[in-house]
Amino acid sequence: GYIYAKHTEQEYKLTEALTMDEIRYGKEVSDIREQVVAYAKQFVGNPYVWGGESLTNGVDCSGFVLCIYKKYGIKLPHYSVAQSNCGTKISTSELQPGDLIFYANSSGTINHVGIYIGNSQVIHASNPKSGIKISTYNYRTPVKCVRLLPE
């Protein structure tokens, strides 16, 4: 037999609810991580200035990281080598948005830092020509990754 649809009720139960941010960034990404990434992205296109600490007038790579995290109450030194010794060391396979990625020169000395933003991308104050920009996280070979934010 048949039953008219108007005389029935359909119910769907999900095994687990996800927020839109969890769908967008992954289940393990916290709100603070999303906020850090969104805040950092506002400054794409702004200038690179060696030693700078102004997100609008110019920053270098470690100055950019310093300024972004300062907004969230995390104090960092203004030097990429020193920043690499803050937080908890993690592997590239453990990267989550908001984690720091460090790069080295040909002699193996850390000389650059960026913020991982998810989807295999990093935001960083690159150089005087391109300023603050987004790149693939492995545009150079990462030598160290560090977690500053809570899980």
Side-chain angles (χ1 to χ4, degrees):
Y2 298 95
I3 299 175
Y4 285 108
K6 67 180 182 180
H7 299 297
T8 65
E9 290 182 22
Q10 293 183 353
E11 186 176 292
Y12 296 97
K13 290 186 180 183
L14 300 173
T15 58
E16 182 178 10
L18 296 175
T19 67
M20 287 306 294
D21 288 331
E22 287 173 328
I23 292 168
R24 223 182 342 255
Y25 300 109
K27 189 175 172 197
E28 302 302 319
V29 178
S30 69
D31 288 342
I32 188 69
R33 291 179 176 281
E34 296 162 27
Q35 290 171 23
V36 166
V37 169
Y39 182 61
K41 284 182 174 180
Q42 294 178 62
F43 304 102
V44 169
N46 287 3
Y48 175 101
V49 173
W50 190 84
E53 290 187 15
S54 170
L55 291 168
T56 53
N57 297 325
V59 289
D60 60 11
C61 64
S62 58
F64 177 66
V65 169
L66 176 152
C67 291
I68 296 299
Y69 281 92
K70 183 178 183 180
K71 177 177 171 58
Y72 298 93
I74 298 173
K75 293 184 179 185
L76 294 170
H78 189 162
Y79 184 48
S80 57
V81 172
Q83 288 178 353
S84 74
N85 293 315
C86 299
T88 304
K89 184 178 178 181
I90 58 170
S91 68
T92 54
S93 64
E94 297 173 286
L95 280 169
Q96 292 184 26
D99 292 336
L100 301 184
I101 302 177
F102 296 89
Y103 305 89
N105 59 23
S106 58
S107 65
T109 303
I110 288 174
N111 68 346
H112 192 68
V113 60
I115 301 170
Y116 185 72
I117 62 171
N119 296 320
S120 299
Q121 295 181 315
V122 63
I123 187 168
H124 58 124
S126 182
N127 58 52
K129 185 176 180 181
S130 58
I132 298 170
K133 69 179 197 173
I134 294 173
S135 304
T136 58
Y137 86 95
N138 59 355
Y139 78 102
R140 289 171 61 186
T141 303
V143 295
K144 189 173 185 180
C145 301
V146 169
R147 177 159 294 152
L148 299 173
L149 299 171
E151 297 276 340

PDB file of all heavy atoms in Angstrom, residues 6 22 27-28 32 49-50 54 57-58 63-65 80 82 88 99-100 105 115 121 124 127 133 142:
ATOM      1  N   LYS A   6       1.725  13.753   3.393  1.00  0.00           N
ATOM      2  CA  LYS A   6       1.229  14.710   4.386  1.00  0.00           C
ATOM      3  C   LYS A   6       0.819  14.037   5.690  1.00  0.00           C
ATOM      4  O   LYS A   6       0.652  14.684   6.707  1.00  0.00           O
ATOM      5  CB  LYS A   6       0.093  15.546   3.810  1.00  0.00           C
ATOM      6  CG  LYS A   6      -1.171  14.778   3.520  1.00  0.00           C
ATOM      7  CD  LYS A   6      -2.223  15.706   2.941  1.00  0.00           C
ATOM      8  CE  LYS A   6      -3.515  14.921   2.692  1.00  0.00           C
ATOM      9  NZ  LYS A   6      -4.556  15.768   2.130  1.00  0.00           N
ATOM     10  N   GLU A  22      34.034  24.052  11.854  1.00  0.00           N
ATOM     11  CA  GLU A  22      34.607  22.709  11.881  1.00  0.00           C
ATOM     12  C   GLU A  22      34.589  22.094  10.481  1.00  0.00           C
ATOM     13  O   GLU A  22      35.521  21.404  10.084  1.00  0.00           O
ATOM     14  CB  GLU A  22      33.849  21.817  12.867  1.00  0.00           C
ATOM     15  CG  GLU A  22      34.126  22.143  14.307  1.00  0.00           C
ATOM     16  CD  GLU A  22      33.251  21.371  15.264  1.00  0.00           C
ATOM     17  OE1 GLU A  22      32.095  21.054  14.931  1.00  0.00           O
ATOM     18  OE2 GLU A  22      33.726  21.070  16.370  1.00  0.00           O
ATOM     19  N   LYS A  27      37.723  19.480  12.299  1.00  0.00           N
ATOM     20  CA  LYS A  27      37.095  19.312  13.602  1.00  0.00           C
ATOM     21  C   LYS A  27      37.977  19.749  14.761  1.00  0.00           C
ATOM     22  O   LYS A  27      37.491  20.199  15.791  1.00  0.00           O
ATOM     23  CB  LYS A  27      36.689  17.850  13.770  1.00  0.00           C
ATOM     24  CG  LYS A  27      35.855  17.601  14.982  1.00  0.00           C
ATOM     25  CD  LYS A  27      35.389  16.188  15.035  1.00  0.00           C
ATOM     26  CE  LYS A  27      34.721  15.941  16.364  1.00  0.00           C
ATOM     27  NZ  LYS A  27      34.588  14.554  16.647  1.00  0.00           N
ATOM     28  N   GLU A  28      39.277  19.621  14.623  1.00  0.00           N
ATOM     29  CA  GLU A  28      40.173  19.900  15.740  1.00  0.00           C
ATOM     30  C   GLU A  28      40.568  21.362  15.865  1.00  0.00           C
ATOM     31  O   GLU A  28      41.322  21.727  16.748  1.00  0.00           O
ATOM     32  CB  GLU A  28      41.448  19.049  15.601  1.00  0.00           C
ATOM     33  CG  GLU A  28      41.173  17.553  15.544  1.00  0.00           C
ATOM     34  CD  GLU A  28      40.433  17.037  16.776  1.00  0.00           C
ATOM     35  OE1 GLU A  28      40.755  17.463  17.889  1.00  0.00           O
ATOM     36  OE2 GLU A  28      39.535  16.209  16.600  1.00  0.00           O
ATOM     37  N   ILE A  32      39.960  30.088  18.687  1.00  0.00           N
ATOM     38  CA  ILE A  32      41.100  30.999  18.769  1.00  0.00           C
ATOM     39  C   ILE A  32      41.993  30.860  17.539  1.00  0.00           C
ATOM     40  O   ILE A  32      42.501  31.840  17.013  1.00  0.00           O
ATOM     41  CB  ILE A  32      41.911  30.816  20.083  1.00  0.00           C
ATOM     42  CG1 ILE A  32      42.980  31.899  20.234  1.00  0.00           C
ATOM     43  CG2 ILE A  32      42.563  29.453  20.148  1.00  0.00           C
ATOM     44  CD1 ILE A  32      42.469  33.266  20.493  1.00  0.00           C
ATOM     45  N   VAL A  49      58.891  45.672   6.204  1.00  0.00           N
ATOM     46  CA  VAL A  49      59.929  46.608   6.624  1.00  0.00           C
ATOM     47  C   VAL A  49      60.815  45.871   7.616  1.00  0.00           C
ATOM     48  O   VAL A  49      60.327  45.403   8.657  1.00  0.00           O
ATOM     49  CB  VAL A  49      59.338  47.881   7.288  1.00  0.00           C
ATOM     50  CG1 VAL A  49      60.433  48.756   7.867  1.00  0.00           C
ATOM     51  CG2 VAL A  49      58.493  48.655   6.294  1.00  0.00           C
ATOM     52  N   TRP A  50      62.091  45.747   7.300  1.00  0.00           N
ATOM     53  CA  TRP A  50      63.006  45.026   8.178  1.00  0.00           C
ATOM     54  C   TRP A  50      62.999  45.686   9.552  1.00  0.00           C
ATOM     55  O   TRP A  50      63.157  46.902   9.675  1.00  0.00           O
ATOM     56  CB  TRP A  50      64.420  45.007   7.602  1.00  0.00           C
ATOM     57  CG  TRP A  50      65.310  44.081   8.356  1.00  0.00           C
ATOM     58  CD1 TRP A  50      65.440  42.742   8.189  1.00  0.00           C
ATOM     59  CD2 TRP A  50      66.186  44.429   9.433  1.00  0.00           C
ATOM     60  NE1 TRP A  50      66.337  42.224   9.087  1.00  0.00           N
ATOM     61  CE2 TRP A  50      66.810  43.248   9.869  1.00  0.00           C
ATOM     62  CE3 TRP A  50      66.504  45.618  10.072  1.00  0.00           C
ATOM     63  CZ2 TRP A  50      67.725  43.213  10.910  1.00  0.00           C
ATOM     64  CZ3 TRP A  50      67.409  45.595  11.120  1.00  0.00           C
ATOM     65  CH2 TRP A  50      68.018  44.385  11.508  1.00  0.00           C
ATOM     66  N   SER A  54      54.773  47.344  12.760  1.00  0.00           N
ATOM     67  CA  SER A  54      53.480  47.957  12.466  1.00  0.00           C
ATOM     68  C   SER A  54      52.788  47.145  11.387  1.00  0.00           C
ATOM     69  O   SER A  54      53.288  47.064  10.256  1.00  0.00           O
ATOM     70  CB  SER A  54      53.648  49.401  12.005  1.00  0.00           C
ATOM     71  OG  SER A  54      52.412  49.892  11.502  1.00  0.00           O
ATOM     72  N   ASN A  57      52.007  49.826   8.626  1.00  0.00           N
ATOM     73  CA  ASN A  57      53.116  50.556   8.013  1.00  0.00           C
ATOM     74  C   ASN A  57      54.307  49.690   7.651  1.00  0.00           C
ATOM     75  O   ASN A  57      55.182  50.130   6.916  1.00  0.00           O
ATOM     76  CB  ASN A  57      53.567  51.694   8.923  1.00  0.00           C
ATOM     77  CG  ASN A  57      52.478  52.720   9.121  1.00  0.00           C
ATOM     78  OD1 ASN A  57      51.706  52.995   8.210  1.00  0.00           O
ATOM     79  ND2 ASN A  57      52.379  53.259  10.323  1.00  0.00           N
ATOM     80  N   GLY A  58      54.366  48.472   8.184  1.00  0.00           N
ATOM     81  CA  GLY A  58      55.440  47.567   7.813  1.00  0.00           C
ATOM     82  C   GLY A  58      55.967  46.717   8.951  1.00  0.00           C
ATOM     83  O   GLY A  58      56.141  47.199  10.074  1.00  0.00           O
ATOM     84  N   GLY A  63      58.369  40.232  13.196  1.00  0.00           N
ATOM     85  CA  GLY A  63      57.536  41.334  13.670  1.00  0.00           C
ATOM     86  C   GLY A  63      56.072  41.077  13.373  1.00  0.00           C
ATOM     87  O   GLY A  63      55.189  41.394  14.175  1.00  0.00           O
ATOM     88  N   PHE A  64      55.794  40.483  12.221  1.00  0.00           N
ATOM     89  CA  PHE A  64      54.420  40.133  11.849  1.00  0.00           C
ATOM     90  C   PHE A  64      53.863  39.125  12.853  1.00  0.00           C
ATOM     91  O   PHE A  64      52.780  39.320  13.412  1.00  0.00           O
ATOM     92  CB  PHE A  64      54.392  39.564  10.423  1.00  0.00           C
ATOM     93  CG  PHE A  64      53.040  39.100   9.978  1.00  0.00           C
ATOM     94  CD1 PHE A  64      51.999  39.995   9.793  1.00  0.00           C
ATOM     95  CD2 PHE A  64      52.809  37.757   9.715  1.00  0.00           C
ATOM     96  CE1 PHE A  64      50.744  39.567   9.376  1.00  0.00           C
ATOM     97  CE2 PHE A  64      51.567  37.315   9.293  1.00  0.00           C
ATOM     98  CZ  PHE A  64      50.530  38.220   9.116  1.00  0.00           C
ATOM     99  N   VAL A  65      54.609  38.057  13.107  1.00  0.00           N
ATOM    100  CA  VAL A  65      54.171  37.021  14.052  1.00  0.00           C
ATOM    101  C   VAL A  65      53.990  37.630  15.444  1.00  0.00           C
ATOM    102  O   VAL A  65      52.985  37.388  16.112  1.00  0.00           O
ATOM    103  CB  VAL A  65      55.176  35.848  14.063  1.00  0.00           C
ATOM    104  CG1 VAL A  65      54.897  34.890  15.210  1.00  0.00           C
ATOM    105  CG2 VAL A  65      55.137  35.111  12.725  1.00  0.00           C
ATOM    106  N   SER A  80      63.274  35.605  14.703  1.00  0.00           N
ATOM    107  CA  SER A  80      62.734  34.282  14.344  1.00  0.00           C
ATOM    108  C   SER A  80      63.416  33.131  15.084  1.00  0.00           C
ATOM    109  O   SER A  80      62.755  32.178  15.489  1.00  0.00           O
ATOM    110  CB  SER A  80      62.769  34.057  12.834  1.00  0.00           C
ATOM    111  OG  SER A  80      64.075  34.196  12.328  1.00  0.00           O
ATOM    112  N   ALA A  82      64.702  33.184  18.095  1.00  0.00           N
ATOM    113  CA  ALA A  82      64.172  33.187  19.459  1.00  0.00           C
ATOM    114  C   ALA A  82      62.720  32.690  19.489  1.00  0.00           C
ATOM    115  O   ALA A  82      62.333  31.942  20.385  1.00  0.00           O
ATOM    116  CB  ALA A  82      64.277  34.586  20.058  1.00  0.00           C
ATOM    117  N   THR A  88      55.674  24.677  21.794  1.00  0.00           N
ATOM    118  CA  THR A  88      55.954  23.247  21.735  1.00  0.00           C
ATOM    119  C   THR A  88      56.305  22.845  20.311  1.00  0.00           C
ATOM    120  O   THR A  88      55.553  23.153  19.373  1.00  0.00           O
ATOM    121  CB  THR A  88      54.703  22.439  22.168  1.00  0.00           C
ATOM    122  OG1 THR A  88      54.320  22.882  23.474  1.00  0.00           O
ATOM    123  CG2 THR A  88      54.979  20.955  22.188  1.00  0.00           C
ATOM    124  N   ASP A  99      49.667  27.642  13.975  1.00  0.00           N
ATOM    125  CA  ASP A  99      51.004  27.168  14.345  1.00  0.00           C
ATOM    126  C   ASP A  99      52.060  27.922  13.535  1.00  0.00           C
ATOM    127  O   ASP A  99      51.772  28.430  12.450  1.00  0.00           O
ATOM    128  CB  ASP A  99      51.137  25.664  14.098  1.00  0.00           C
ATOM    129  CG  ASP A  99      50.274  24.838  15.046  1.00  0.00           C
ATOM    130  OD1 ASP A  99      49.944  25.326  16.149  1.00  0.00           O
ATOM    131  OD2 ASP A  99      49.935  23.687  14.681  1.00  0.00           O
ATOM    132  N   LEU A 100      53.274  27.989  14.075  1.00  0.00           N
ATOM    133  CA  LEU A 100      54.358  28.695  13.397  1.00  0.00           C
ATOM    134  C   LEU A 100      55.225  27.725  12.610  1.00  0.00           C
ATOM    135  O   LEU A 100      55.464  26.598  13.047  1.00  0.00           O
ATOM    136  CB  LEU A 100      55.240  29.427  14.417  1.00  0.00           C
ATOM    137  CG  LEU A 100      54.554  30.452  15.304  1.00  0.00           C
ATOM    138  CD1 LEU A 100      55.573  31.160  16.191  1.00  0.00           C
ATOM    139  CD2 LEU A 100      53.773  31.458  14.484  1.00  0.00           C
ATOM    140  N   ASN A 105      68.311  29.425   6.331  1.00  0.00           N
ATOM    141  CA  ASN A 105      69.162  29.779   5.197  1.00  0.00           C
ATOM    142  C   ASN A 105      70.006  28.562   4.801  1.00  0.00           C
ATOM    143  O   ASN A 105      69.878  27.487   5.390  1.00  0.00           O
ATOM    144  CB  ASN A 105      70.027  31.008   5.514  1.00  0.00           C
ATOM    145  CG  ASN A 105      70.933  30.793   6.713  1.00  0.00           C
ATOM    146  OD1 ASN A 105      71.263  29.668   7.086  1.00  0.00           O
ATOM    147  ND2 ASN A 105      71.340  31.894   7.321  1.00  0.00           N
ATOM    148  N   ILE A 115      52.981  31.978   9.702  1.00  0.00           N
ATOM    149  CA  ILE A 115      51.877  31.379  10.452  1.00  0.00           C
ATOM    150  C   ILE A 115      51.105  30.453   9.522  1.00  0.00           C
ATOM    151  O   ILE A 115      50.629  30.879   8.465  1.00  0.00           O
ATOM    152  CB  ILE A 115      50.931  32.459  11.005  1.00  0.00           C
ATOM    153  CG1 ILE A 115      51.685  33.420  11.918  1.00  0.00           C
ATOM    154  CG2 ILE A 115      49.749  31.822  11.741  1.00  0.00           C
ATOM    155  CD1 ILE A 115      50.884  34.658  12.330  1.00  0.00           C
ATOM    156  N   GLN A 121      48.897  26.154   3.531  1.00  0.00           N
ATOM    157  CA  GLN A 121      49.313  27.528   3.267  1.00  0.00           C
ATOM    158  C   GLN A 121      49.868  28.196   4.519  1.00  0.00           C
ATOM    159  O   GLN A 121      49.495  27.858   5.644  1.00  0.00           O
ATOM    160  CB  GLN A 121      48.144  28.352   2.739  1.00  0.00           C
ATOM    161  CG  GLN A 121      47.641  27.891   1.385  1.00  0.00           C
ATOM    162  CD  GLN A 121      46.516  28.744   0.886  1.00  0.00           C
ATOM    163  OE1 GLN A 121      45.594  29.076   1.622  1.00  0.00           O
ATOM    164  NE2 GLN A 121      46.578  29.116  -0.392  1.00  0.00           N
ATOM    165  N   HIS A 124      52.843  35.176   5.755  1.00  0.00           N
ATOM    166  CA  HIS A 124      54.121  35.672   6.251  1.00  0.00           C
ATOM    167  C   HIS A 124      54.464  37.012   5.616  1.00  0.00           C
ATOM    168  O   HIS A 124      53.968  37.358   4.547  1.00  0.00           O
ATOM    169  CB  HIS A 124      55.234  34.654   5.971  1.00  0.00           C
ATOM    170  CG  HIS A 124      55.398  34.302   4.526  1.00  0.00           C
ATOM    171  ND1 HIS A 124      56.583  34.450   3.862  1.00  0.00           N
ATOM    172  CD2 HIS A 124      54.520  33.797   3.605  1.00  0.00           C
ATOM    173  CE1 HIS A 124      56.446  34.046   2.606  1.00  0.00           C
ATOM    174  NE2 HIS A 124      55.200  33.649   2.432  1.00  0.00           N
ATOM    175  N   ASN A 127      59.067  39.700   1.930  1.00  0.00           N
ATOM    176  CA  ASN A 127      60.233  40.507   1.556  1.00  0.00           C
ATOM    177  C   ASN A 127      59.746  41.898   1.144  1.00  0.00           C
ATOM    178  O   ASN A 127      58.544  42.110   0.996  1.00  0.00           O
ATOM    179  CB  ASN A 127      61.028  39.827   0.424  1.00  0.00           C
ATOM    180  CG  ASN A 127      60.190  39.592  -0.810  1.00  0.00           C
ATOM    181  OD1 ASN A 127      59.545  40.502  -1.334  1.00  0.00           O
ATOM    182  ND2 ASN A 127      60.161  38.358  -1.283  1.00  0.00           N
ATOM    183  N   LYS A 133      52.097  38.207   2.547  1.00  0.00           N
ATOM    184  CA  LYS A 133      51.407  37.416   1.534  1.00  0.00           C
ATOM    185  C   LYS A 133      51.150  35.997   2.024  1.00  0.00           C
ATOM    186  O   LYS A 133      51.633  35.588   3.081  1.00  0.00           O
ATOM    187  CB  LYS A 133      52.205  37.381   0.240  1.00  0.00           C
ATOM    188  CG  LYS A 133      53.498  36.588   0.305  1.00  0.00           C
ATOM    189  CD  LYS A 133      54.180  36.628  -1.058  1.00  0.00           C
ATOM    190  CE  LYS A 133      55.238  35.565  -1.203  1.00  0.00           C
ATOM    191  NZ  LYS A 133      55.764  35.507  -2.563  1.00  0.00           N
ATOM    192  N   PRO A 142      60.440  23.674   5.348  1.00  0.00           N
ATOM    193  CA  PRO A 142      60.343  24.010   6.769  1.00  0.00           C
ATOM    194  C   PRO A 142      61.397  23.242   7.572  1.00  0.00           C
ATOM    195  O   PRO A 142      61.644  22.068   7.306  1.00  0.00           O
ATOM    196  CB  PRO A 142      58.937  23.551   7.164  1.00  0.00           C
ATOM    197  CG  PRO A 142      58.185  23.424   5.879  1.00  0.00           C
ATOM    198  CD  PRO A 142      59.208  23.060   4.851  1.00  0.00           C
TER     199      PRO A 142
END
